[in-house]
Amino acid sequence: MSLLSMMEGLTEASVDFVVIGGVAARAHGSTRITEDLDICYSRRPENVDRLARLLASWGAYPRGIDRDLPFFMDAQTFRTTPIMTLITAEGALDVFDEVKGVGDFESVRASSVIVDAGDFRFRALSLEGLLEARRAAGRPKDIDQIPELKALIELSGSDKHEKPRPDPTE
């Protein structure tokens, strides 16, 4: 069980997603450690079906909720609860259909870059997207990370008008 294995599982299940949050920040050089994987997913019905089937196979259940309560992981769950914090057999996973400060999945995808992790590639929210998301979230832990994200943007020579790298798989 690892964050990378969860991303590999999502990719193998053909789920259209972008990594956001702490793992995306780590991919860009952040020093912060995270215990969960945060993703933004496409709301296309076939994508939601694939995501729901995968999460059901992982035994996904809402974090912090008594396990004795009924919970069904299916496409209907995503229609009624598009943002969930889950615990799975693979680890902790938070799923979002949009990112505050960035927008819906298409906007998140447009603000993402391809990250190489050994033999594995995935989409991660850009540094600029992470900065906007942190500002919009406004939680103390998000505000606290803003100086680091700004420094990473400066160190990378990144520019808000710079286009993300093209996806070689498309």
Side-chain angles (χ1 to χ4, degrees):
M1 292 188 279
S2 73
L3 301 175
L4 186 57
S5 71
M6 281 195 287
M7 290 187 291
E8 288 173 339
L10 289 159
T11 300
E12 288 170 8
S14 299
V15 174
D16 196 3
F17 70 99
V18 173
V19 176
I20 60 175
V23 173
R26 285 286 291 180
H28 291 294
S30 171
T31 60
R32 294 176 186 243
I33 304 297
T34 185
E35 301 285 323
D36 66 352
L37 176 64
D38 301 309
I39 66 165
C40 182
Y41 64 92
S42 166
R43 289 184 266 188
R44 287 188 334 266
E46 62 277 7
N47 192 63
V48 171
D49 288 341
R50 288 188 295 267
L51 179 56
R53 277 194 306 275
L54 177 65
L55 294 181
S57 77
W58 287 353
Y61 196 83
R63 281 200 309 268
I65 302 294
D66 184 350
R67 277 275 190 185
D68 293 332
L69 295 173
F71 177 75
F72 301 98
M73 177 50 69
D74 59 14
Q76 177 61 31
T77 300
F78 280 92
R79 284 192 282 282
T80 59
T81 315
I83 298 172
M84 289 181 270
T85 59
L86 303 166
I87 188 68
T88 77
E90 297 295 315
L93 175 69
D94 297 350
V95 294
F96 299 80
D97 68 341
E98 63 182 43
V99 176
K100 190 173 183 179
V102 180
D104 65 7
F105 176 77
E106 294 307 321
S107 297
V108 170
R109 193 174 201 295
S111 184
S112 71
V113 295
I114 300 295
V115 175
D116 291 311
D119 294 334
F120 181 68
R121 302 180 108 182
F122 63 94
R123 283 195 163 277
L125 191 57
S126 68
L127 281 167
E128 292 81 3
L130 286 165
L131 180 60
E132 293 307 313
R134 295 296 193 221
R135 284 179 175 147
R139 300 173 302 179
K141 72 178 191 174
D142 296 313
I143 299 298
D144 188 45
Q145 191 176 27
I146 288 174
E148 180 186 43
L149 292 173
K150 286 181 176 179
L152 287 169
I153 289 169
E154 189 172 315
L155 285 171
S156 71
S158 187
D159 181 303
K160 277 194 170 221
H161 304 291
E162 183 178 300
K163 296 275 188 212
R165 293 187 328 198
D167 186 344
T169 63
E170 294 180 341

